[in-house]
Amino acid sequence: MRKVLVTGGCGYIGSHTIVDLIDNGFEVVSVDNLSNSSDSVLDGIAEITGKRVHNYPVDLCDLDATRKIFEEHPDLSGVIHFAALKAVGESVEQPIRYFRNNINSLINVLDCMAQYGVHHLIFSSSCSVYGNAKELPVTEQTEMQEAESPYARTKQMGEQIIADFSRIHPRHNSVLLRYFNPAGAHESAKIGESPINKASNLVPVITEAAIGKRPEMTVFGDDYDTRDGSCVRDYIHVMDLANAHTKALQHLIAGEQKAPLEIFNLGIGEGVTVLEAVEAFMKVTGQKLPYRVGDRRPGDVVAIYANYDKAANELGWQPERDINDIMKTAWAWEKARTEAVAS
Ligand code: NAD
Ligand code: WQD
């Protein structure tokens, strides 16, 4: 059985990816310092898969502690590196914390991969590396613009660091996955998005408002030049996203890569407006959502969505779920976690 080290394995995308990896026959070891998660997610993973994953509660900025994990697992087939701080607004307030955490942890992971001879890396990148893209849909060739936040800059820098690392390590192969807007939860409602930091992304804000954790949700602007005036994004279901990681790892293990460093966009290729997302939520769940239209949010791009042809052609990956599936599973998860807290 192939063993993979998942960093940030207790986080939102990491935990869903662990489920997909186990479903596809991988053994998983997680390292997560729980700075934005809880290891109780491992119970949910065990309930879904029947496998208990071990998490090392280690800060990847600690090189010695990170080395020990690699030492204990000399048989790793690869690393999927999710661990990072990801709140865009917070990164504007605390840029050094973001650079320190996201860059140091990546450098330590690369250092250990070189030292312990682990050659396959999947890296969580983001559509935010494109900045205010000048063409839509965005392909992997679309020219990157200035990063809109220190967070986005850590992703641009991370990509460059991996590229430079690849040049001097001929046996190393990396896949950079640029996610668009991940949302939704595992269909079982046993795991989902459960950050320690206050949610600010659209879908958790919607479900929290619907269940009464917030008085209402605000649509940030309806006077943009889009079909209904609200911003357009490409929302990708977290389980489709998870499966792309498994496929990317299988692609590297099978030696199918065309270059030592490959980049793939992961979205569904369709733009959905904020008002359409709100409508989808109400239609799919039958719930009322208290919402109002407010001011534009500073820094928001008007519209961005992906062309994912490259991932389809080279990884054999296809998203299977849409915004309705996202709302359905996110709502089931919101209800489940709210009930768990109440009981
Ligand atoms: P998350 O916060 O739920 O998960 C990240 C995990 O990494 C957390 O559990 C956190 O405790 C852990 N972590 C952070 N710094 C660490 C460190 N120094 N050492 C050990 N563990 C550490 O976030 P997520 O949404 O699952 O995102 C996963 C990755 O995907 C991140 O790299 C993020 O930047 C990227 N990404 C996320 C989105 C999104 O909208 N969720 C979009 C594009 C890219
Ligand atoms: C989506 C849309 C908001 C909340 C962020 C990061 C990006 C990537 C994905 C990590 C926008 C609108 C939102 C609300 C709203 N993450 N909205 N009311 O900003 O597209 O992308 O997550 O890499 O880097 O920037 O995602 O979910 O915050 O917003 O109207 O209460 O929903 O204006 O149009 P965003 P989001």
Side-chain angles (χ1 to χ4, degrees):
M1 197 186 269
R2 300 274 191 175
K3 195 193 275 184
V4 52
L5 181 68
V6 174
T7 77
C10 296
Y12 173 44
I13 306 170
S15 57
H16 289 76
T17 300
I18 289 178
V19 168
D20 195 75
L21 287 165
I22 293 173
D23 283 350
N24 283 283
F26 284 92
E27 183 185 347
V28 178
V29 176
S30 165
V31 47
D32 192 311
N33 67 353
L34 308 177
S35 58
N36 194 34
S37 55
S38 153
D39 59 7
S40 62
V41 73
L42 302 173
D43 299 337
I45 293 173
E47 282 182 48
I48 297 168
T49 65
K51 300 260 159 61
R52 175 142 293 268
V53 170
H54 179 71
N55 179 64
Y56 290 87
V58 158
D59 185 341
L60 292 158
C61 296
D62 179 341
L63 179 57
D64 288 337
T66 306
R67 277 201 182 115
K68 283 202 184 99
I69 300 170
F70 279 80
E71 242 162 55
E72 278 185 36
H73 299 279
D75 51 348
L76 292 174
S77 292
V79 176
I80 306 185
H81 183 49
F82 292 103
L85 296 173
K86 63 159 183 179
V88 173
E90 190 181 65
S91 80
V92 176
E93 309 294 322
Q94 304 173 24
I96 298 306
R97 180 169 163 240
Y98 270 66
F99 288 120
R100 180 176 289 133
N101 189 74
N102 293 3
I103 302 300
N104 284 356
S105 58
L106 171 63
I107 289 173
N108 287 347
V109 166
L110 291 172
D111 222 346
C112 289
M113 290 182 75
Q115 185 178 350
Y116 295 96
V118 184
H119 302 304
H120 303 317
L121 172 70
I122 316 285
F123 175 68
S124 295
S125 190
S126 160
C127 65
S128 63
V129 299
Y130 293 110
N132 236 316
K134 294 220 168 95
E135 57 178 35
L136 291 176
V138 173
T139 74
E140 293 80 359
Q141 271 74 48
T142 298
E143 200 187 328
M144 281 190 200
Q145 305 298 320
E146 177 79 12
E148 296 281 320
S149 67
Y151 164 76
R153 211 181 304 282
T154 69
K155 293 298 173 189
Q156 289 182 341
M157 290 168 72
E159 290 196 357
Q160 288 160 0
I161 289 167
I162 295 168
D164 286 340
F165 177 87
S166 293
R167 276 184 209 107
I168 57 154
H169 291 93
R171 293 188 63 201
H172 183 90
N173 294 298
S174 293
V175 168
L176 313 182
L177 298 178
R178 292 178 178 161
Y179 318 151
F180 279 64
N181 286 57
H186 189 267
E187 281 79 5
S188 66
K190 292 189 188 303
I191 59 170
E193 193 166 5
S194 206
I196 286 175
N197 296 333
K198 194 167 187 275
S200 61
N201 289 117
L202 179 64
V203 174
V205 168
I206 287 177
T207 58
E208 287 180 11
I211 212 153
K213 290 180 185 166
R214 300 169 185 251
E216 63 179 6
M217 70 88 49
T218 305
V219 174
F220 294 143
D222 69 349
D223 56 352
Y224 287 100
D225 184 14
T226 62
R227 50 185 176 267
D228 61 21
S230 61
C231 290
V232 172
R233 296 288 185 275
D234 185 334
Y235 298 94
I236 173 161
H237 195 284
V238 68
M239 287 311 298
D240 282 331
L241 188 62
N243 182 247
H245 293 76
T246 306
K247 290 222 156 65
L249 185 62
Q250 288 167 334
H251 167 83
L252 290 183
I253 290 171
E256 293 166 353
Q257 66 279 7
K258 294 196 171 133
L261 185 124
E262 293 178 312
I263 301 175
F264 298 101
N265 283 342
L266 298 175
I268 69 163
E270 276 168 37
V272 171
T273 70
V274 178
L275 289 166
E276 287 165 353
V278 165
E279 281 304 321
F281 174 81
M282 293 195 285
K283 187 187 86 190
V284 168
T285 64
Q287 290 293 313
K288 281 222 161 63
L289 177 70
Y291 77 91
R292 65 176 187 92
V293 176
D295 291 341
R296 293 181 175 194
R297 182 171 68 176
D300 261 340
V301 301
V302 181
I304 186 161
Y305 52 97
N307 173 317
Y308 71 86
D309 290 353
K310 195 174 170 213
N313 294 334
E314 293 178 31
L315 300 179
W317 174 81
Q318 281 285 341
E320 290 171 357
R321 300 161 180 89
D322 64 10
I323 190 72
N324 295 321
D325 302 307
I326 285 175
M327 293 305 182
K328 200 171 143 196
T329 55
W331 180 237
W333 166 245
E334 183 67 70
K335 285 190 295 184
R337 73 178 176 135
T338 306
E339 275 163 26
V341 171
S343 64

Coordinates of all heavy atoms in Angstrom, one line a residue, residues 233-299:
R233 N -18.0 33.7 -9.5 CA -16.9 32.8 -9.1 C -17.2 31.4 -9.6 O -18.3 31.1 -9.9 CB -16.8 32.8 -7.5 CG -16.5 34.1 -6.9 CD -15.0 34.5 -7.1 NE -14.7 35.7 -6.3 CZ -14.9 36.9 -6.8 NH1 -15.5 37.1 -7.9 NH2 -14.5 37.9 -6.0
D234 N -16.1 30.6 -9.5 CA -16.2 29.2 -9.9 C -16.1 28.3 -8.7 O -15.1 28.1 -8.1 CB -15.0 28.9 -10.8 CG -15.0 27.6 -11.5 OD1 -15.6 26.6 -10.9 OD2 -14.4 27.4 -12.5
Y235 N -17.3 27.9 -8.2 CA -17.4 27.1 -6.9 C -17.2 25.6 -7.3 O -18.0 25.1 -8.0 CB -18.7 27.4 -6.2 CG -18.9 28.8 -5.8 CD1 -19.6 29.7 -6.7 CD2 -18.3 29.3 -4.7 CE1 -19.7 31.0 -6.3 CE2 -18.4 30.6 -4.3 CZ -19.1 31.5 -5.2 OH -19.2 32.8 -4.8
I236 N -16.2 25.0 -6.6 CA -15.9 23.6 -6.9 C -16.1 22.8 -5.6 O -15.7 23.2 -4.5 CB -14.4 23.4 -7.4 CG1 -14.1 22.0 -7.5 CG2 -13.4 24.2 -6.6 CD1 -13.0 21.6 -8.4
H237 N -16.9 21.7 -5.8 CA -17.2 20.9 -4.6 C -15.9 20.2 -4.1 O -15.1 19.7 -4.8 CB -18.2 19.7 -5.0 CG -18.8 19.1 -3.8 ND1 -18.1 18.2 -3.0 CD2 -20.0 19.3 -3.3 CE1 -18.9 17.8 -2.1 NE2 -20.1 18.4 -2.2
V238 N -15.8 20.3 -2.7 CA -14.6 19.8 -2.1 C -14.2 18.4 -2.4 O -13.1 18.0 -2.4 CB -14.6 20.1 -0.6 CG1 -15.7 19.3 0.1 CG2 -13.3 20.0 0.1
M239 N -15.3 17.5 -2.6 CA -14.9 16.1 -2.9 C -14.4 15.9 -4.3 O -13.6 15.1 -4.6 CB -16.2 15.2 -2.7 CG -16.5 15.0 -1.2 SD -15.1 14.5 -0.1 CE -14.6 12.9 -0.8
D240 N -14.9 16.8 -5.3 CA -14.3 16.8 -6.6 C -12.8 17.3 -6.5 O -11.9 16.7 -7.2 CB -15.1 17.7 -7.6 CG -16.3 17.0 -8.0 OD1 -16.4 15.8 -8.1 OD2 -17.3 17.8 -8.3
L241 N -12.6 18.3 -5.7 CA -11.3 18.8 -5.5 C -10.4 17.8 -4.9 O -9.2 17.6 -5.3 CB -11.4 20.1 -4.6 CG -10.1 20.9 -4.4 CD1 -9.7 21.5 -5.7 CD2 -10.4 22.0 -3.4
A242 N -10.9 17.1 -3.9 CA -10.1 16.0 -3.2 C -9.7 15.0 -4.2 O -8.5 14.6 -4.2 CB -11.0 15.4 -2.1
N243 N -10.6 14.6 -5.1 CA -10.2 13.5 -6.0 C -9.1 14.0 -7.0 O -8.4 13.1 -7.5 CB -11.5 13.1 -6.8 CG -11.2 12.0 -7.7 OD1 -11.3 12.1 -8.9 ND2 -10.8 10.8 -7.2
A244 N -9.1 15.2 -7.3 CA -8.0 15.7 -8.2 C -6.6 15.5 -7.5 O -5.6 15.2 -8.3 CB -8.2 17.2 -8.5
H245 N -6.5 15.6 -6.2 CA -5.3 15.3 -5.5 C -4.9 13.8 -5.7 O -3.7 13.5 -5.9 CB -5.4 15.7 -4.1 CG -5.5 17.1 -3.8 ND1 -6.7 17.8 -4.0 CD2 -4.6 18.1 -3.5 CE1 -6.6 19.1 -3.8 NE2 -5.3 19.3 -3.4
T246 N -5.8 13.0 -5.5 CA -5.5 11.5 -5.7 C -5.1 11.3 -7.1 O -4.1 10.6 -7.3 CB -6.8 10.7 -5.4 OG1 -7.3 11.1 -4.1 CG2 -6.5 9.2 -5.4
K247 N -5.8 11.9 -8.0 CA -5.4 11.6 -9.4 C -4.0 12.2 -9.7 O -3.2 11.6 -10.5 CB -6.5 12.3 -10.4 CG -7.8 11.5 -10.3 CD -8.4 11.4 -11.7 CE -9.3 10.2 -11.9 NZ -10.6 10.4 -11.1
A248 N -3.7 13.4 -9.2 CA -2.4 14.0 -9.4 C -1.3 13.1 -8.8 O -0.3 12.9 -9.4 CB -2.4 15.4 -8.8
L249 N -1.6 12.6 -7.6 CA -0.5 11.7 -7.0 C -0.4 10.4 -7.8 O 0.8 10.0 -8.1 CB -1.0 11.4 -5.6 CG 0.0 10.6 -4.8 CD1 1.4 11.4 -4.6 CD2 -0.5 10.3 -3.4
Q250 N -1.5 9.8 -8.3 CA -1.4 8.6 -9.1 C -0.6 8.9 -10.4 O 0.2 8.1 -10.8 CB -2.8 8.1 -9.4 CG -3.5 7.5 -8.2 CD -5.0 7.2 -8.4 OE1 -5.6 7.9 -9.2 NE2 -5.5 6.3 -7.6
H251 N -0.8 10.1 -10.9 CA -0.2 10.5 -12.2 C 1.3 10.6 -11.9 O 2.1 10.1 -12.8 CB -0.8 11.9 -12.5 CG -0.2 12.7 -13.5 ND1 -0.4 12.6 -14.9 CD2 0.7 13.8 -13.4 CE1 0.3 13.5 -15.5 NE2 0.9 14.3 -14.6
L252 N 1.8 11.1 -10.8 CA 3.2 11.2 -10.5 C 3.8 9.8 -10.3 O 4.9 9.5 -10.8 CB 3.4 12.1 -9.3 CG 3.2 13.6 -9.5 CD1 3.6 14.4 -8.2 CD2 4.0 14.2 -10.6
I253 N 3.1 9.0 -9.5 CA 3.6 7.7 -9.1 C 3.7 6.9 -10.4 O 4.7 6.1 -10.6 CB 2.7 7.0 -8.1 CG1 2.8 7.7 -6.7 CG2 3.0 5.5 -8.0 CD1 1.8 7.3 -5.7
A254 N 2.8 7.0 -11.3 CA 2.8 6.3 -12.6 C 3.9 6.8 -13.6 O 4.1 6.3 -14.7 CB 1.4 6.3 -13.3
G255 N 4.5 7.9 -13.2 CA 5.5 8.5 -14.1 C 5.0 9.1 -15.4 O 5.6 9.2 -16.4
E256 N 3.7 9.6 -15.3 CA 3.1 10.2 -16.5 C 3.3 11.6 -16.7 O 2.9 12.2 -17.7 CB 1.5 10.0 -16.3 CG 1.1 8.6 -16.3 CD -0.4 8.4 -15.9 OE1 -1.0 9.4 -15.4 OE2 -0.9 7.3 -16.0
Q257 N 4.1 12.3 -15.8 CA 4.2 13.7 -15.9 C 5.0 14.1 -17.1 O 5.9 13.4 -17.5 CB 4.8 14.3 -14.6 CG 6.2 14.0 -14.3 CD 6.4 12.6 -13.7 OE1 5.4 11.8 -13.5 NE2 7.6 12.3 -13.3
K258 N 4.6 15.2 -17.8 CA 5.3 15.7 -19.0 C 6.4 16.6 -18.7 O 7.3 16.9 -19.5 CB 4.3 16.4 -19.9 CG 3.2 15.5 -20.4 CD 2.5 16.1 -21.6 CE 1.6 15.0 -22.2 NZ 0.3 15.6 -22.5
A259 N 6.5 17.1 -17.4 CA 7.5 18.0 -17.0 C 7.7 17.9 -15.5 O 6.8 17.4 -14.8 CB 7.2 19.5 -17.3
P260 N 8.9 18.2 -15.0 CA 9.1 18.0 -13.5 C 8.1 18.9 -12.7 O 7.9 18.6 -11.5 CB 10.5 18.5 -13.3 CG 11.1 18.6 -14.7 CD 10.1 18.7 -15.7
L261 N 7.6 20.0 -13.3 CA 6.7 20.8 -12.6 C 5.4 21.0 -13.5 O 5.6 21.6 -14.6 CB 7.3 22.1 -12.2 CG 6.4 23.0 -11.3 CD1 7.2 23.4 -10.1 CD2 6.0 24.3 -12.1
E262 N 4.3 20.6 -13.0 CA 3.1 20.8 -13.8 C 2.1 21.6 -13.0 O 2.0 21.4 -11.8 CB 2.5 19.4 -14.2 CG 3.3 18.6 -15.1 CD 2.7 17.3 -15.5 OE1 2.3 16.6 -14.5 OE2 2.7 16.9 -16.6
I263 N 1.3 22.3 -13.7 CA 0.3 23.2 -13.1 C -1.1 22.9 -13.6 O -1.3 22.8 -14.9 CB 0.6 24.7 -13.3 CG1 2.0 25.0 -12.8 CG2 -0.4 25.6 -12.7 CD1 2.5 26.4 -13.1
F264 N -2.1 22.8 -12.7 CA -3.5 22.5 -13.2 C -4.4 23.5 -12.5 O -4.4 23.6 -11.2 CB -3.9 21.1 -12.9 CG -3.0 20.1 -13.6 CD1 -2.0 19.4 -12.9 CD2 -3.2 19.8 -14.9 CE1 -1.2 18.5 -13.6 CE2 -2.4 18.9 -15.6 CZ -1.4 18.2 -14.9
N265 N -5.4 24.0 -13.2 CA -6.5 24.7 -12.7 C -7.5 23.7 -12.2 O -7.8 22.8 -13.0 CB -7.2 25.6 -13.7 CG -6.4 26.9 -14.0 OD1 -5.6 27.3 -13.2 ND2 -6.7 27.5 -15.1
L266 N -8.2 24.0 -11.1 CA -9.3 23.1 -10.7 C -10.5 24.0 -10.3 O -10.6 24.6 -9.3 CB -8.9 22.3 -9.4 CG -7.7 21.3 -9.6 CD1 -7.3 20.7 -8.3 CD2 -8.0 20.2 -10.7
G267 N -11.4 23.9 -11.3 CA -12.7 24.6 -11.1 C -13.7 23.8 -11.8 O -13.4 22.7 -12.3
I268 N -15.0 24.3 -11.9 CA -15.9 23.5 -12.8 C -16.1 24.2 -14.1 O -16.8 23.7 -15.0 CB -17.3 23.3 -12.1 CG1 -18.1 24.6 -11.9 CG2 -17.1 22.6 -10.7 CD1 -19.6 24.3 -11.7
G269 N -15.4 25.3 -14.3 CA -15.4 25.9 -15.6 C -16.7 26.8 -15.9 O -16.9 27.3 -17.0
E270 N -17.4 27.0 -14.8 CA -18.6 27.9 -15.0 C -18.7 28.9 -13.9 O -18.4 28.6 -12.7 CB -19.9 27.0 -14.8 CG -20.3 26.3 -16.0 CD -21.4 25.2 -15.6 OE1 -22.2 25.5 -14.7 OE2 -21.3 24.2 -16.2
G271 N -19.0 30.1 -14.3 CA -19.2 31.1 -13.3 C -20.6 31.1 -12.7 O -21.6 30.9 -13.4
V272 N -20.7 31.4 -11.4 CA -21.9 31.5 -10.7 C -21.9 32.8 -9.9 O -20.9 33.1 -9.3 CB -22.1 30.3 -9.7 CG1 -23.3 30.5 -8.7 CG2 -22.2 29.0 -10.4
T273 N -23.0 33.6 -10.0 CA -23.0 34.9 -9.3 C -23.4 34.6 -7.8 O -23.9 33.6 -7.5 CB -24.0 35.9 -9.9 OG1 -25.3 35.4 -9.6 CG2 -23.8 36.0 -11.4
V274 N -23.1 35.6 -7.0 CA -23.5 35.5 -5.6 C -25.0 35.3 -5.5 O -25.5 34.5 -4.7 CB -23.0 36.8 -4.8 CG1 -23.4 36.6 -3.3 CG2 -21.5 36.9 -4.9
L275 N -25.8 36.1 -6.2 CA -27.2 36.0 -6.1 C -27.7 34.6 -6.6 O -28.7 34.1 -6.1 CB -27.9 37.1 -6.9 CG -27.7 38.5 -6.2 CD1 -28.1 39.7 -7.1 CD2 -28.6 38.6 -4.9
E276 N -27.1 34.1 -7.6 CA -27.4 32.7 -8.1 C -27.1 31.7 -7.0 O -27.8 30.7 -6.8 CB -26.7 32.4 -9.4 CG -27.2 33.1 -10.6 CD -26.3 33.1 -11.8 OE1 -25.1 32.6 -11.7 OE2 -26.7 33.6 -12.9
A277 N -26.0 31.9 -6.3 CA -25.6 31.0 -5.2 C -26.7 31.0 -4.1 O -27.1 30.0 -3.6 CB -24.2 31.3 -4.7
V278 N -27.1 32.2 -3.8 CA -28.1 32.4 -2.7 C -29.4 31.7 -3.2 O -30.1 31.0 -2.4 CB -28.4 33.9 -2.5 CG1 -29.7 34.2 -1.7 CG2 -27.2 34.6 -1.8
E279 N -29.8 31.9 -4.4 CA -31.0 31.3 -5.0 C -30.9 29.7 -4.9 O -31.8 29.0 -4.6 CB -31.3 31.7 -6.4 CG -31.9 33.0 -6.6 CD -33.2 33.2 -5.9 OE1 -34.0 32.2 -5.9 OE2 -33.4 34.3 -5.3
A280 N -29.7 29.2 -5.3 CA -29.5 27.8 -5.3 C -29.7 27.2 -3.9 O -30.3 26.2 -3.7 CB -28.1 27.5 -5.9
F281 N -29.1 28.0 -2.9 CA -29.2 27.5 -1.5 C -30.7 27.4 -1.2 O -31.2 26.3 -0.6 CB -28.5 28.5 -0.6 CG -28.8 28.1 0.9 CD1 -28.0 27.1 1.5 CD2 -29.8 28.7 1.6 CE1 -28.3 26.7 2.8 CE2 -30.1 28.3 2.9 CZ -29.3 27.3 3.5
M282 N -31.5 28.4 -1.5 CA -32.9 28.4 -1.0 C -33.7 27.3 -1.8 O -34.5 26.6 -1.2 CB -33.5 29.8 -1.2 CG -32.9 30.8 -0.3 SD -33.8 32.4 -0.2 CE -33.4 33.2 -1.7
K283 N -33.4 27.1 -3.1 CA -34.1 26.2 -3.9 C -33.8 24.7 -3.4 O -34.7 23.9 -3.1 CB -33.7 26.3 -5.3 CG -34.5 25.4 -6.3 CD -34.0 25.5 -7.7 CE -32.9 24.4 -7.9 NZ -32.1 24.5 -9.0
V284 N -32.5 24.4 -3.2 CA -32.1 23.1 -2.9 C -32.5 22.7 -1.4 O -32.9 21.5 -1.2 CB -30.6 22.9 -3.0 CG1 -30.1 21.6 -2.5 CG2 -30.2 23.0 -4.5
T285 N -32.5 23.6 -0.5 CA -32.7 23.3 0.9 C -34.1 23.6 1.3 O -34.6 23.1 2.4 CB -31.8 24.1 1.8 OG1 -32.1 25.5 1.7 CG2 -30.3 23.8 1.5
G286 N -34.8 24.4 0.6 CA -36.2 24.9 1.0 C -36.1 25.8 2.2 O -37.1 26.1 2.8
Q287 N -34.9 26.3 2.5 CA -34.8 27.2 3.7 C -34.8 28.6 3.2 O -34.4 29.0 2.2 CB -33.4 27.0 4.3 CG -33.1 25.7 5.0 CD -34.0 25.6 6.2 OE1 -34.0 26.5 7.1 NE2 -34.7 24.5 6.4
K288 N -35.3 29.5 4.1 CA -35.3 30.9 3.9 C -33.9 31.4 4.3 O -33.3 30.9 5.3 CB -36.3 31.6 4.8 CG -37.8 31.5 4.2 CD -38.4 32.9 4.4 CE -39.6 33.1 3.5 NZ -40.7 32.1 3.8
L289 N -33.4 32.3 3.6 CA -32.1 32.9 3.9 C -32.3 34.4 4.1 O -32.6 35.1 3.2 CB -31.1 32.6 2.8 CG -29.7 33.2 3.0 CD1 -29.0 32.5 4.1 CD2 -28.9 33.1 1.7
P290 N -32.0 34.9 5.4 CA -32.1 36.3 5.5 C -30.9 37.0 4.9 O -29.8 36.8 5.4 CB -32.1 36.5 7.1 CG -31.5 35.2 7.6 CD -31.6 34.2 6.6
Y291 N -31.1 37.7 3.8 CA -29.9 38.4 3.2 C -30.3 39.8 2.8 O -31.5 40.1 2.6 CB -29.4 37.6 2.1 CG -30.2 37.7 0.8 CD1 -29.9 38.6 -0.2 CD2 -31.2 36.7 0.5 CE1 -30.6 38.7 -1.4 CE2 -31.9 36.8 -0.7 CZ -31.6 37.7 -1.6 OH -32.3 37.8 -2.8
R292 N -29.3 40.6 2.6 CA -29.5 42.0 2.1 C -28.3 42.3 1.2 O -27.3 41.7 1.3 CB -29.6 43.0 3.2 CG -28.3 43.2 4.0 CD -28.4 44.3 5.1 NE -27.1 44.4 5.6 CZ -26.2 45.3 5.2 NH1 -26.5 46.1 4.2 NH2 -25.0 45.4 5.7
V293 N -28.5 43.2 0.3 CA -27.5 43.7 -0.6 C -26.7 44.8 0.1 O -27.4 45.8 0.5 CB -28.0 44.1 -2.0 CG1 -26.9 44.6 -2.8 CG2 -28.7 42.9 -2.6
G294 N -25.4 44.7 0.2 CA -24.6 45.7 0.9 C -23.6 46.3 -0.1 O -23.7 46.1 -1.3
D295 N -22.6 47.0 0.5 CA -21.6 47.6 -0.4 C -20.7 46.6 -1.0 O -20.6 45.4 -0.5 CB -20.7 48.5 0.5 CG -21.5 49.7 1.0 OD1 -22.6 50.0 0.3 OD2 -21.1 50.4 2.0
R296 N -19.9 47.0 -2.0 CA -18.9 46.1 -2.5 C -17.8 45.8 -1.4 O -17.6 46.7 -0.6 CB -18.2 46.8 -3.7 CG -19.1 47.0 -4.9 CD -18.3 47.6 -6.0 NE -19.1 47.8 -7.2 CZ -18.5 48.1 -8.4 NH1 -17.2 48.3 -8.5 NH2 -19.3 48.1 -9.5
R297 N -17.2 44.6 -1.5 CA -16.1 44.3 -0.5 C -14.8 44.8 -1.2 O -14.5 44.3 -2.3 CB -16.1 42.8 -0.3 CG -15.1 42.4 0.7 CD -15.2 40.9 1.1 NE -14.9 40.0 0.0 CZ -14.9 38.7 0.1 NH1 -15.2 38.1 1.3 NH2 -14.7 37.9 -0.9
P298 N -14.0 45.6 -0.5 CA -12.8 46.1 -1.1 C -11.9 44.9 -1.5 O -11.8 43.9 -0.8 CB -12.1 46.9 0.0 CG -13.2 47.2 1.0 CD -14.2 46.1 0.9
G299 N -11.3 45.0 -2.7 CA -10.4 44.0 -3.2 C -11.0 42.8 -4.0 O -10.3 42.0 -4.5

